[in-house]
């Protein structure tokens, strides 16, 4: 028991003290002078994510300490004149810890707290300085005066420390052991001066174990031998907002002759030289370290990662210059594990991420690399793999990522679409897809305020359906909820798969109405001539100039300049004029009008200052905007269908509805085409911004909460009810619900929109593999949906015109989404 001793034990201690006091004249003070000098000190400081904050105090004496003599003071934002104080209560036994955690911390941390503090000292965030006082006198300080020093760090007092340090300077590694493993709470509440002896004479596979977690976690190991197979880098941002690359650790792997015969145990380890405040959270790369070096490494075995994600087994090195020893250099790299389908090669499951309940997914007994993709990649953690005949299914140039399938995608052939991409479905998330990342061998170049400005090799223009002419060698790593393969050599040459920008198969007809949805990605008048021309050309040639275009992601006239501007007339007109200019050069001038409703400033989310919205282009020689905009709604008007028409035109559906808070508001517009009333509802639902990677252990419901599915369901319900109000009162009206719904064609929001057969999702007309308008982490998927009242199902065709998602900028893409075109026959 740490405090509030039992009455019986307290009475015994009081009695003993009375007896001893009667002998003081003969024996003097029975507590030696060294013990008198000892008092509480801060033994651990945790500044973790969100509310995961903790302060651990330690009683190094042989006496019980009265905590009521102590206070913790937090000085806010380095200001010694702005402070809050926490008074302690109770007693603390000898050689015990006392832990203060935040009331809102994760349960795993909060349950370690003796006090769960909510509003005073446990809201520090890096530059809030802490002071421990006894009877008003400072006895210890944790004095981070710079946010970059004290944020996202765990600091543990060394076992040699016996009392506090009142210096007003950043804690030093003379007294502290620093760690960035801020999701590891195992060290909280267990401070001890007795360290376990380091483990010796073990190999890498012994440390890795046949599990997701090392059997030697939190233990010291010495002289772990391996060959350096990769040095890792990541992006950092400097004080000017510019990105640059920094060293981020390295990987070692066993020499071939020491590999065990257990396919469940990885033969490689991540090595993380310790980050300290003095290094500003950047690892220091040992000057002697190169790929091919045979080294010995000593340090602590940790599981490195972030809350909610999988962890990587690693050795955390305290003193790189002493704990990393080079034995020899220029050694051949270990043999790779070949990922493929031939005999003797290994292949992840093509359907099963993990088949256990998420609560037991890390159970050692259930570790099953042969059947679970998550376990498969874990069994190869940081090892060199070889991907034969890599087939490209997607590219994300911004992140320096290329998504491939091994062996020309043979085992996934039934899932490939006609372009060579792979479609994500409700029951199959394609775990065999391999993400090639650049953290070990750079393929993009950072510049300015972008993490990358494109590929270093400007002749390297990968696209869906292309292949590489040689195998790729990479190490298996993990970040952002996904396993990633960091190529360790220059990527091979491309074999052109023949992809060209498709042109819609829909043939314009004067008696048929064409409507498109097109997310044009933060478009405004200043995006540049090239993008404006590409979008205009796409509308004219690839979409064959639809009658109505539901535009998504139109920004105000000056884009992301936050000056109160909300009008977007110049943004629309720069595109309209370019369409007119290009079409005139072909001898037939195409003219569009536009309509929208400017949002209330900074109320619709998106890029700050951009005032993003949905709007329409329409050809007034083909369709009529009812009222010609004379009865246009304001940003706060609620759309109502009454007396056979919209109350305003255009009009926002329900802009005050809480589900649309800080989200683009849906916009209805009423048109007439050849005597038929057509009401188009353009949407841009809330994003999946909080979504988690495939290789994280969350239930389906938890995933939906994190990616805003409930919010999109509520938005969908509002739109469904509005559509129903039209269809139920006018069965002759055509209602088209269109736009970027940020969700799949089989998702809860889209099913909510459909309702009880009220609306029909036109994607259901297409083969499942051909349904996509976007590619994310290599998976082709639908985000841009088009629904129509079910009575019009047989009169309507759909064509996703995939001109962007499969390409990089150099190949002519003009947005991250593909436009989708429909044609309605009357």
């Amino acid at each position: 028991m740490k405090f509030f001793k039992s009455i019986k034990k307290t009475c015994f201690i009081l009695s003993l003290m009375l007896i001893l006091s009667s002998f003081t004249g003969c024996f003097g003070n029975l507590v030696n002078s060294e013990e008198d000098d000892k008092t509480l000190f801060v033994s651990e400081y945790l500044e973790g994510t969100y509310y995961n904050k903790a302060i651990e105090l330690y009683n190094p004496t042989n006496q019980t300490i009265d905590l009521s003599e102590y206070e913790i003071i937090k000085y806010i934002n380095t200001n010694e004149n702005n402070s809050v104080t926490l008074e302690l209560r109770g007693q603390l036994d000898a050689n015990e810890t006392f832990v203060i955690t935040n009331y809102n911390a994760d349960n795993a941390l909060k349950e370690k707290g003796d006090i769960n503090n909510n509003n005073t000292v446990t809201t520090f965030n890096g530059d809030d300085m802490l002071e421990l006082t006894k009877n008003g006198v400072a006895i210890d300080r944790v004095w981070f005066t710079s946010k970059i020093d004290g944020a996202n760090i765990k600091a543990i007092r060394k076992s040699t420390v016996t009392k506090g340090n009142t210096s007003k300077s950043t804690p030093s590694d003379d007294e502290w052991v620093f760690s960035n493993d801020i999701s590891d709470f195992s060290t909280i509440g267990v401070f001890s001066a007795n360290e376990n002896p380091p483990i010796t004479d073990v190999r890498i596979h012994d440390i890795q174990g046949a599990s997701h977690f090392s059997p030697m976690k939190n233990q010291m190991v010495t002289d772990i031998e391996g060959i350096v197979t990769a040095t890792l880098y990541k992006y950092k941002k400097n004080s000017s907002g510019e990105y640059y690359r920094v060293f981020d650790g390295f990987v070692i792997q066993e020499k071939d002759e020491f590999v065990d015969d257990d396919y469940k145990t990885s033969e490689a380890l991540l090595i993380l030289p310790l980050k300290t405040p003095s290094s500003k959270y950047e690892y220091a790369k040992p000057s002697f370290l190169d790929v091919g070096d045979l080294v010995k490494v000593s340090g602590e075995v940790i599981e490195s990662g972030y809350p909610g994600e999988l962890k990587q087994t690693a050795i955390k090195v305290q003193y790189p210059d002493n704990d990393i020893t080079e034995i020899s250099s220029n050694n051949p790299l270990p043999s790779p594990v070949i990922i493929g389908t031939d005999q003797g090669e290994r292949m992840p499951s093509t359907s099963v991420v993990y088949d256990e309940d998420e609560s037991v997914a890390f159970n050692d007994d259930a570790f099953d690399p042969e059947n679970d993709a998550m376990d498969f990649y874990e069994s190869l953690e940081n090892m060199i793999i070889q991907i034969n005949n890599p087939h490209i299914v997607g590219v994300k140039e911004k992140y320096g990522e290329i998504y491939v399938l091994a062996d020309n995608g043979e085992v996934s052939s039934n899932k490939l679409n006609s372009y060579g991409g792979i479609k994500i479905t409700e029951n199959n998330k394609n775990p065999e897809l391999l993400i090639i990342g650049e953290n070990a061998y750079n393929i993009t170049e950072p510049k300015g305020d972008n993490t990358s400005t494109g590929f270093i090799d400007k002749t390297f223009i990968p696209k869906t359906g292309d292949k590489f002419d040689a195998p790729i060698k990479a190490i298996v790593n993990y970040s952002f909820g996904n396993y990633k393969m960091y190529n360790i050599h220059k990527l091979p040459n491309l074999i052109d798969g023949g992809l060209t920008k498709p042109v819609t198969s829909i043939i314009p007809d004067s008696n048929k109405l064409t409507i498109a949805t097109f997310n044009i990605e933060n478009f405004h008048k200043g995006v540049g001539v090239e993008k404006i021309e590409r979008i205009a050309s796409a509308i004219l040639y690839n979409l064959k100039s639809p009658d109505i275009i539901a535009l998504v992601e139109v920004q105000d006239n000056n884009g992301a300049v936050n000056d109160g501007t909300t009008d977007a007339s110049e943004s629309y007109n720069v595109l309209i004029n370019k369409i007119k200019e290009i079409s005139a050069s072909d001898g037939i001038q195409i003219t569009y009008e536009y309509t929208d409703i400017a949002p209330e400033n900074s109320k619709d989310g998106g890029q700050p200052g951009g005032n993003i919205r949905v709007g329409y282009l329409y050809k007034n020689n083909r369709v009529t905007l009812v009222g010609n905009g004379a009865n246009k709604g304001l940003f706060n008007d609620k759309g109502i269908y009454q007396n056979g028409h919209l109350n305003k035109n255009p009009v926002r559906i329900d802009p005050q509805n809480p589900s649309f808070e800080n989200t683009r508001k849906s916009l209805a517009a009423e048109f007439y085409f050849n005597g038929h009333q057509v009401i188009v509802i353009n949407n841009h639902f809330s994003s999946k911004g909080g979504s988690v990677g495939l290789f994280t252990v969350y239930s389906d419901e938890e995933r939906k909460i994190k990616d805003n599915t409930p919010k999109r369901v509520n938005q969908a319900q509002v739109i469904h009810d509005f559509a129903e109000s039209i269809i139920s009162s006018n069965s002759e009206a055509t209602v088209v619900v269109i736009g970027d719904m940020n969700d799949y064609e089989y998702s809860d929001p889209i099913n909510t929109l459909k309702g009880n057969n009220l609306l029909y999702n036109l994607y259901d007309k297409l083969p499942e593999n051909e349904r996509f308008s976007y590619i994310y982490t290599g998976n082709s998927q639908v985000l841009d949906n088009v629904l129509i009242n079910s009575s019009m199902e047989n009169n309507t065709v759909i064509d996703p015109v995939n001109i962007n998602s499969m390409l990089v900028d150099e190949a002519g893409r003009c947005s991250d989404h593909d436009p989708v075109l429909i044609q309605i026959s009357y």
Side-chain angles (χ1 to χ4, degrees), residues 502-676:
V503 174
T504 181
S505 59
I506 292 176
I507 300 172
D509 187 314
S510 60
N511 296 313
K512 297 179 180 180
L513 176 67
T514 52
I515 304 174
T517 176
F518 199 170
N519 182 325
I520 52 177
E521 193 181 13
N522 290 325
F523 183 87
H524 60 90
K525 72 171 185 178
V527 294
V529 173
E530 186 174 50
K531 178 165 181 170
I532 295 169
E533 288 182 345
R534 286 179 177 182
I535 293 173
S537 296
I539 290 170
L540 285 170
Y541 303 129
N542 301 91
L543 299 179
K544 299 180 181 176
S545 57
D547 301 317
I548 301 170
I549 307 172
L551 292 178
V552 178
E553 290 200 17
V554 178
Q555 294 189 343
D556 61 36
N557 292 333
N558 58 17
V561 176
N562 201 357
D563 63 355
T565 299
T566 61
D567 177 64
S569 58
E570 296 173 22
S571 295
Y572 285 106
N573 283 322
V574 74
L575 179 57
I576 289 170
N577 291 336
K578 182 57 67 175
I579 292 171
K580 189 184 299 184
E581 175 190 329
I582 294 174
S583 62
S585 67
D586 291 337
I588 178 169
Q589 185 165 289
I590 302 295
T591 302
Y592 281 96
E593 302 287 338
Y594 84 90
T595 189
D596 80 349
I597 294 176
E600 187 177 4
N601 187 45
S602 299
K603 295 293 186 180
D604 281 19
Q607 199 172 20
N611 288 305
I612 198 171
R613 87 286 308 273
V614 298
Y616 295 94
L617 299 186
Y618 62 96
K619 295 195 289 189
N620 59 13
N621 65 329
R622 290 280 294 157
V623 298
T624 300
L625 179 70
V626 175
N628 291 317
N631 190 32
K632 180 178 180 179
L634 300 176
F635 66 78
N636 58 349
D637 285 332
K638 180 178 179 178
I640 302 172
Y641 189 76
Q642 57 188 12
N643 303 319
H645 295 284
L646 297 177
N647 61 325
K648 303 281 186 178
N649 192 34
V651 67
R652 307 217 289 183
I653 306 300
D654 191 358
Q656 305 303 320
N657 192 293
S659 66
F660 284 98
E661 184 178 357
N662 200 37
T663 300
R664 289 75 49 172
K665 311 303 187 284
S666 298
L667 184 68
E670 180 182 349
F671 299 94
Y672 268 92
F673 171 75
N674 290 352
H676 298 279

Side-chain angles (χ1 to χ4, degrees), residues 79 203 241 250 489 676 803:
N79 185 353
R203 310 299 310 189
F250 62 100
H489 303 299
H676 298 279
I803 59 173

Side-chain angles (χ1 to χ4, degrees), residues 421-440:
I422 189 166
K423 174 71 168 68
I424 194 172
T425 65
E426 185 171 12
N427 299 314
N428 196 327
K429 303 303 185 284
N430 306 319
E432 74 273 28
L433 191 155
L434 304 170
I435 302 175
I436 307 298
E438 63 168 347
N439 294 42

Side-chain angles (χ1 to χ4, degrees), residues 218-236:
N218 299 328
Q219 298 187 59
M220 300 298 293
V221 293
T222 59
D223 294 336
I224 305 305
E225 186 177 295
I227 293 175
V228 178
T229 58
T231 52
L232 304 181
Y233 297 85
K234 70 175 182 179
Y235 287 109
K236 291 275 289 183

Side-chain angles (χ1 to χ4, degrees), residues 46 90 108 198 215 270 273 279 312-313 322 348 386 395 465 549 625 641 644 661 722 728 734 768:
L46 173 65
L270 181 63
S279 68
Q312 291 194 87
T313 302
N322 296 325
Q386 178 172 309
V395 180
I549 307 172
L625 179 70
Y641 189 76
E661 184 178 357
F722 183 75
S728 62
T734 300
E768 188 173 52

